[in-house]
Amino acid sequence: MTETVRLPLFPLNTVLFPGGWMPLRIFEARYMDMVSRVMREGGSFGVCLIAAGGEVGEAAVPRLVGTEAKIETWDMDQPGLLRIGVRGAQRFAVTDHEVEADGLLTGSVRWLEDPPGGQVPAAQAELVPMLQRIAADHPEILPPPHHFDDAAWVGARYAEVLPIPLDARQALLELTDWSSRLEIIQRFLRQRGVLSGKA
């Protein structure tokens, strides 16, 4: 698929994966306006890891692969502060971007095709019970719905919660092969003694 669409971009010091849940605090006027427009029109925006710059102030330079964010919850418990919860949808590649007059970053993006998820391979089956325990112990991090039988979903959730550098998390996002992602995660956990190595 080579067609591009225009999408407002939200550069952050975090990485959103397809199927992932992310709470956000919105207080800058440009993002308040963006969220209001997205909610009114039923659209979405893109979350990208920051390549240069900061989350607040002048528009940051985004990494060129990000994830579409769809708003699922919102609440304004105090004036000037909007709390939203977004769910990651489809990955995209930014083909160009520009800063609007109000400081909002927008980009032309090309949707990236993800191979369909399948069953978790037997070789990586040991990853599932630990992820189930994490979800049970930390529902705020991994809220339902859960898809422990989906290899792509399992790999993405590990990529979100592992204590790894942001560049490594971004590299896992950019992988198009979920089986490679699972293998990398399994190797990481075995090297640190978290998994026994007995699949």
Side-chain angles (χ1 to χ4, degrees), residues 100-119:
E100 305 289 348
D102 61 0
L104 182 67
L105 190 69
T106 64
S108 293
V109 308
R110 175 175 50 83
W111 300 116
L112 298 175
E113 294 293 335
D114 287 315
Q119 292 287 325

Side-chain angles (χ1 to χ4, degrees), residues 162-164 184-195:
L162 287 178
I164 57 177
I184 291 168
I185 289 165
Q186 183 182 41
R187 188 161 60 247
F188 174 88
L189 292 172
R190 283 183 175 178
Q191 287 171 348
R192 283 152 184 79
V194 178
L195 294 174

Side-chain angles (χ1 to χ4, degrees), residues 8-72:
L9 301 178
F10 199 160
L12 293 169
N13 285 313
T14 189
V15 180
L16 177 65
F17 284 77
W21 171 259
M22 181 180 290
L24 293 171
R25 297 167 70 252
I26 309 295
F27 53 88
E28 288 190 84
R30 56 182 167 171
Y31 295 126
M32 283 279 202
D33 291 344
M34 178 194 74
V35 168
S36 296
R37 186 167 63 252
V38 166
M39 292 173 65
R40 185 171 61 249
E41 298 173 357
S44 58
F45 60 92
V47 170
C48 297
L49 178 64
I50 290 174
E55 290 187 344
V56 179
E58 187 175 342
V61 178
R63 296 289 285 268
L64 298 183
V65 173
T67 301
E68 178 188 20
K70 295 190 174 183
I71 300 170
E72 291 193 351

Side-chain angles (χ1 to χ4, degrees), residues 29 65 67-68 71-72 76 78 112 127 132 158 165 169 173:
V65 173
T67 301
E68 178 188 20
I71 300 170
E72 291 193 351
M76 185 177 284
Q78 63 187 76
L112 298 175
L127 292 171
Q132 290 172 325
Y158 267 111
R169 215 181 301 280
L173 175 70

Side-chain angles (χ1 to χ4, degrees), residues 15 17 63 166-176 181:
V15 180
F17 284 77
R63 296 289 285 268
L166 285 173
D167 281 346
R169 215 181 301 280
Q170 178 71 19
L172 289 173
L173 175 70
E174 294 179 10
L175 277 177
T176 56
R181 188 184 293 157

